[in-house]
Amino acid sequence: LPHVLAGMDAAGRAQTGTGKTAAFLIGIFTHFIRNPPAAGRRNGTPRALILSPTRELALQIGRDADDLGKYCPFKIVTVYGGAEYEKQQRALKHELVDVVAATPGRLLDFKRSGVLDLKSVEILVIDEADRMLDMGFIPDVSSIIRSTPPKERRQTMLFSATLTDDVMRLASQWLKNPVKVDIAPEQVAVDS
């Protein structure tokens, strides 16, 4: 969390239950509070983008963002395939959106149709990068990342249960001088 709050890029190995979602959401909300949005923002231009491989994870991140940001004036939209296309499209088209938590396929649909513009993304989070690799999402994720500002002009965080050579190769393309954070499962107590 201190590295994230300082605006550094991060590559993290962390299992479920270690608090990584809270860490990146607190980092995002703190950045928003410290840096109010520029005047003249357009609908469908999020300041933060969180990519996840599954609808369930995107929905969970969206719920966590709503809970953690309950007393903040931020608009969070969850974008995922399989349902609620029109509702998601309306939210992007007609509202100022601060955070989008998304699966790659549906996000690309909205980007291609012009409903979503990623040129103003200040913070990018890639959650479960190893699963993105396994599920064949990397070409889509690469396309999405190319639509955001260059890595020198955004903060990027990549999380994975494993930091394999493949994951680290991706990290080197997408992150600038990342701090590596390794939360080993045996160090985590989730009994309470």
Side-chain angles (χ1 to χ4, degrees), residues 9-55:
D9 283 9
R13 182 174 78 90
Q15 306 297 323
T16 301
T18 56
K20 67 180 186 300
T21 304
F24 67 68
L25 287 172
I26 290 168
I28 288 168
F29 294 157
T30 301
H31 173 80
F32 288 174
I33 290 166
R34 289 177 180 163
N35 304 281
R41 285 180 65 210
R42 293 186 3 250
N43 294 349
T45 57
R47 296 180 68 197
L49 173 62
I50 305 163
L51 292 175
S52 67
T54 66
R55 173 173 60 183

Side-chain angles (χ1 to χ4, degrees), residues 74-93:
F74 307 130
K75 175 67 178 171
I76 294 117
V77 174
T78 307
V79 170
Y80 55 90
E84 300 189 348
Y85 186 91
E86 289 81 16
K87 181 182 172 191
Q88 295 168 25
Q89 185 179 39
R90 263 193 319 277
L92 292 171
K93 214 174 199 176

Side-chain angles (χ1 to χ4, degrees), residues 101-155:
T103 56
R106 178 61 59 90
L107 184 84
L108 280 173
D109 287 346
F110 287 137
K111 189 179 118 3
R112 285 185 197 114
S113 68
V115 174
L116 185 67
D117 182 350
L118 302 176
K119 288 182 179 67
S120 298
V121 168
E122 299 163 35
I123 300 177
L124 171 66
V125 177
I126 303 153
D127 203 5
E128 299 202 2
D130 52 342
R131 289 187 63 198
M132 296 264 202
L133 263 172
D134 294 343
M135 295 170 75
F137 282 131
I138 296 307
D140 287 349
V141 172
S142 295
S143 171
I144 291 164
I145 292 172
R146 282 192 303 275
S147 301
T148 69
K151 65 182 176 182
E152 295 76 25
R153 293 199 353 247
R154 66 165 196 262
Q155 180 181 16

